[in-house]
Amino acid sequence: MRMTDEQKAAARAVIITAAGRRFRVDGMAGVGIDALAREAGQTSGAIYAHFTSKAAVFAAVVDAGLARLRAGMERCRAAGAGWARVFVRQYLSAQHRDQIAEGCLLPSLSADVARGDMDLRSAYAADLARAIDTLAEGCVGATEAERRQTAIALLALGAGGLLLSRAVPAGPLADEVLAAATAAAETVLGPAT
């Protein structure tokens, strides 16, 4: 019996979600198609039915991960004015730091993207630019360029702060790194209104 288009889309989404977890934890080089298939509860053949290669799965994970980042920003909009501050506090939380498999791909996979081909890097750049634009809408500044610069700084502080905090054993230094990144982000955001 042939799968419907809806079933194919659902199976592809399951693969992308499961692969995203594995790539975030193990990196692009640290996981093969067989491990991705096991994580998704699929066969290797099922993966290849949806994707031509592991690199194609990774590209889909990156695209989905940046869409998730923008969706998280959109959820923070419900806080009203100052929603960018809400986003930063959630992003730089100990909970987000400790949930690597479910967390943002920026601190986990950006280095793998940087080693990728030009198509992957170009798609990442386009998706990252959309995330920057979304976050800039919640930032203060006299001009669009100032708001965009603030958004870029916040994402850099967030991703870098999480990465460094995850790189050391859990404990005082990890917490100090997270707190310092949060304080720097608060400075970039300026006084709360």
Side-chain angles (χ1 to χ4, degrees), residues 25 52-53 63 97 113 152 159 166:
V25 171
T52 58
S53 64
D63 182 59
R97 177 196 58 208
V113 171
I152 291 169
R166 287 174 176 172

Side-chain angles (χ1 to χ4, degrees), residues 36-63:
L36 294 177
R38 279 191 303 277
E39 182 77 20
Q42 304 284 325
T43 65
S44 298
I47 302 287
Y48 285 117
H50 294 278
F51 300 96
T52 58
S53 64
K54 181 174 82 166
V57 177
F58 185 76
V61 164
V62 169
D63 182 59

Side-chain angles (χ1 to χ4, degrees), residues 16-32 35-36 39 58 61 68 96-110 112 115 163 166-167:
I16 291 169
T17 299
R21 286 191 301 268
R22 284 304 301 264
F23 282 136
R24 283 179 184 89
V25 171
D26 298 325
M28 169 70 162
V31 62
L36 294 177
E39 182 77 20
F58 185 76
V61 164
R68 266 184 63 202
H96 187 204
R97 177 196 58 208
D98 297 341
Q99 294 179 343
I100 297 171
E102 303 300 329
C104 179
L105 71 86
L106 293 180
S108 302
L109 298 178
S110 291
D112 286 327
R115 289 185 284 272
L163 177 60
R166 287 174 176 172

